[in-house]
Amino acid sequence: MPGTLYIVATPIGNLQDMTARAIEMLRSVDVIACEDTRHTRKLLNAYDISNKLVSYHEHNEQERSDELGRLLIEGKSAAIVSDAGTPGINDPGFRLVTKAHEIGARVVPIPGAVAFVNAVIASGLPTDSIFFGGFLPAKTGERKKRLLEVKNIPATLVFYETPHRIEASIEDCLNVLGDRKASIARELTKLHEQIITGKLSFLRSSLSSARPRGEYVLVIAGDGGTGEAEPKQGNIADRISELEAEGMDRKSALKLAAKEFGLSRSEAYRDFQNQRTDN
Ligand code: SAM
């Protein structure tokens, strides 16, 4: 019988966010694969764990997955951890998990911290539908192209960012997405944790007053989410006529106007009927 691969989340800053189950698993497996053995050794020392570590990072992912796969085939158990948070989330892990499935090993996630989830829940933006885009491209041209691709996604947008790119990224978000509501989560769970909320223009000005440091997650309202634009005021029947005059059919015009006025489609239809009768 092949062994088990445990995907073990570790803290994103605060050591106390290590779960009891994570500690138990890291103690009991045959080997722990990690990005940086010195970094993980410090974490293990804090919990009196003296298990065997092997390095597993983006440059040796394929080779190590094969080696660890062989151990799993022999019935051994392995854990994978990353430098911070959940392995596989913008960190190595994916190849080893694929390998484990291929050889019929059991794959068990041990849940814990993930930076983007905590940034979203603290942002005050809708959490019912989320688009996690990992890191935005480093170069402005590619970044703007990516932002154009996600502009119309009706879900809260979330990106990881580095301190030296956060300002440029916010500037590009502002230009491509408009002045949407947003939030920055900085240094989550650490001493200098900070959650800033406001429109993108506000976030830009709050960042420019201090040299950005630390780790950042950028959360932005999705298309049609709260904050892209204030709901339109005025006569919805006029707006629907205007859209129809531009060539839109009645159904699409009603749908778009409802969105612009911040109404459900049935509310928009009711107002449309009433206002048409009044005119
Ligand atoms: N595996 C990690 C997770 O589960 O969130 C993500 C690793 S990714 C290589 C590192 C990025 O995650 C950072 O550049 C930052 O955008 C984000 N991040 C990690 N820790 C964070 C923290 N404490 N506060 C804010 N962002 C953090």
Side-chain angles (χ1 to χ4, degrees), residues 262-278:
L263 300 171
S264 70
R265 251 183 278 177
S266 57
E267 287 167 337
Y269 186 67
R270 187 200 56 214
D271 288 1
F272 170 63
Q273 294 286 24
N274 291 341
Q275 290 166 5
R276 219 167 40 155
T277 320
D278 293 346

Side-chain angles (χ1 to χ4, degrees), residues 12-13 82 84-91 113-116 135 159-162 185-190 215-217:
I12 53 170
S82 59
T86 298
I89 302 296
N90 276 100
D91 270 338
V114 190
F116 84 84
F135 284 96
F159 301 103
Y160 282 164
E161 218 17 295
T162 61
R186 176 176 167 256
E187 295 285 86
L188 287 164
T189 77
K190 301 186 198 173
E215 300 196 274
Y216 289 84
V217 185

Side-chain angles (χ1 to χ4, degrees), residues 22-40:
I23 297 169
E24 187 191 319
M25 287 308 156
L26 293 181
R27 275 211 181 104
S28 59
V29 289
D30 292 301
V31 62
I32 302 169
C34 62
E35 287 185 86
D36 178 341
T37 49
R38 275 183 305 179
H39 180 94
T40 299

Side-chain angles (χ1 to χ4, degrees), residues 141-161:
E142 285 166 35
R143 190 159 56 225
K144 284 184 175 158
K145 191 165 159 251
R146 181 79 183 118
L147 287 168
L148 262 180
E149 285 165 3
V150 301
K151 184 175 179 172
N152 296 319
I153 297 179
T156 297
L157 309 175
V158 197
F159 301 103
Y160 282 164
E161 218 17 295

Side-chain angles (χ1 to χ4, degrees), residues 127-203:
T127 52
D128 52 344
S129 188
I130 298 162
F131 173 85
F132 172 56
F135 284 96
L136 281 167
K139 293 196 179 132
T140 187
E142 285 166 35
R143 190 159 56 225
K144 284 184 175 158
K145 191 165 159 251
R146 181 79 183 118
L147 287 168
L148 262 180
E149 285 165 3
V150 301
K151 184 175 179 172
N152 296 319
I153 297 179
T156 297
L157 309 175
V158 197
F159 301 103
Y160 282 164
E161 218 17 295
T162 61
H164 60 279
R165 285 207 296 265
I166 184 81
E167 282 182 276
S169 281
I170 289 184
E171 187 68 40
D172 287 347
C173 288
L174 192 54
N175 290 330
V176 177
L177 306 175
D179 200 5
R180 299 186 183 189
K181 268 192 187 169
S183 169
I184 292 173
R186 176 176 167 256
E187 295 285 86
L188 287 164
T189 77
K190 301 186 198 173
L191 187 63
H192 298 291
E193 179 179 272
Q194 207 180 10
I195 310 284
I196 314 174
T197 61
K199 295 257 178 135
L200 282 165
S201 54
F202 172 75
L203 299 186

Side-chain angles (χ1 to χ4, degrees), residues 45-175:
N45 286 344
Y47 291 96
D48 267 335
I49 304 170
S50 52
N51 210 335
K52 184 179 171 200
L53 290 176
V54 295
S55 71
Y56 177 90
H57 43 70
E58 56 175 330
H59 304 296
N60 69 3
E61 223 180 331
Q62 188 66 61
E63 185 192 327
R64 278 285 197 261
S65 294
D66 293 343
E67 285 168 24
L68 290 161
R70 283 194 284 277
L71 285 179
L72 290 170
I73 289 173
E74 286 168 18
K76 300 245 167 40
S77 60
I80 177 158
V81 299
S82 59
D83 280 352
T86 298
I89 302 296
N90 276 100
D91 270 338
F94 155 77
R95 280 215 173 77
L96 181 54
V97 174
T98 307
K99 184 86 198 171
H101 283 300
E102 275 168 15
I103 61 183
R106 218 176 130 215
V107 174
V108 178
I110 308 292
V114 190
F116 84 84
V117 171
N118 290 284
V120 173
I121 59 171
S123 70
L125 289 166
T127 52
D128 52 344
S129 188
I130 298 162
F131 173 85
F132 172 56
F135 284 96
L136 281 167
K139 293 196 179 132
T140 187
E142 285 166 35
R143 190 159 56 225
K144 284 184 175 158
K145 191 165 159 251
R146 181 79 183 118
L147 287 168
L148 262 180
E149 285 165 3
V150 301
K151 184 175 179 172
N152 296 319
I153 297 179
T156 297
L157 309 175
V158 197
F159 301 103
Y160 282 164
E161 218 17 295
T162 61
H164 60 279
R165 285 207 296 265
I166 184 81
E167 282 182 276
S169 281
I170 289 184
E171 187 68 40
D172 287 347
C173 288
L174 192 54
N175 290 330

